[in-house]
């Protein structure tokens, strides 16, 4: 008995739902409060990991994994920045990397 293939639309719905949460959080967090940002993005990263575990579509899964990895990297950066605020000069690069990971997954879904 074979499991039916997850449609791209179903997989992308999961991806888009998680992206919307991250985008919303990005607008709600006080940019000067790194600790609050770290806590929020850690929660989002955990949420995204569990949601993306349900993405089985062959086209979407690799992009979802990459986006989740980019968010993990961002959380790790925030943790470092809370410990050592001099790292904040790299914030723009980290946000760009996060957006790039999301853009790639978005491109798969926009196709």
């Amino acid at each position: 008995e074979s499991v039916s293939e997850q449609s791209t639309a179903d997989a992308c719905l999961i991806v888009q739902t998680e992206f919307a949460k991250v985008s919303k959080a990005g607008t709600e967090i006080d940019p000067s409060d790194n600790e609050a940002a770290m806590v929020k993005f850690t929660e989002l990263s955990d949420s995204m990991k569990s949601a993306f575990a349900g993405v089985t579509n062959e086209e979407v899964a690799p992009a979802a994994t990459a986006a989740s990895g980019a968010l993990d990297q961002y959380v790790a950066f925030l943790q470092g920045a809370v410990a050592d605020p001099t790292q904040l000069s790299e914030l723009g690069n980290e946000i760009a990397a996060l957006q790039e990971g999301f853009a790639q997954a978005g491109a798969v879904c926009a196709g």
Side-chain angles (χ1 to χ4, degrees):
E1 178 179 319
S2 69
V3 176
S4 66
E5 176 68 28
Q6 182 181 43
S7 74
T8 302
D10 287 348
C12 286
L13 186 61
I14 296 169
V15 170
Q16 289 157 345
T17 299
E18 292 304 307
F19 285 4
K21 289 181 194 172
V22 173
S23 294
K24 185 169 187 274
T27 62
E28 291 174 346
I29 292 172
D30 177 354
S32 65
D33 190 346
N34 296 321
E35 208 154 324
M38 180 188 72
V39 169
K40 185 65 179 170
F41 281 107
T42 301
E43 288 171 8
L44 288 166
S45 180
D46 292 344
S47 166
M48 185 179 281
K49 272 196 204 96
S50 67
F52 283 6
V55 176
T56 57
N57 179 280
E58 287 176 12
E59 280 180 62
V60 180
T65 301
S68 183
L71 184 57
D72 282 348
Q73 206 173 337
Y74 185 65
V75 168
F77 167 78
L78 288 173
Q79 289 167 338
V82 167
D84 178 7
T86 62
Q87 293 183 17
L88 283 173
S89 61
E90 292 297 312
L91 183 63
N93 294 341
E94 292 296 325
I95 290 174
L98 180 62
Q99 289 171 333
E100 177 63 23
F102 280 21
Q104 288 172 356
V108 171
C109 288

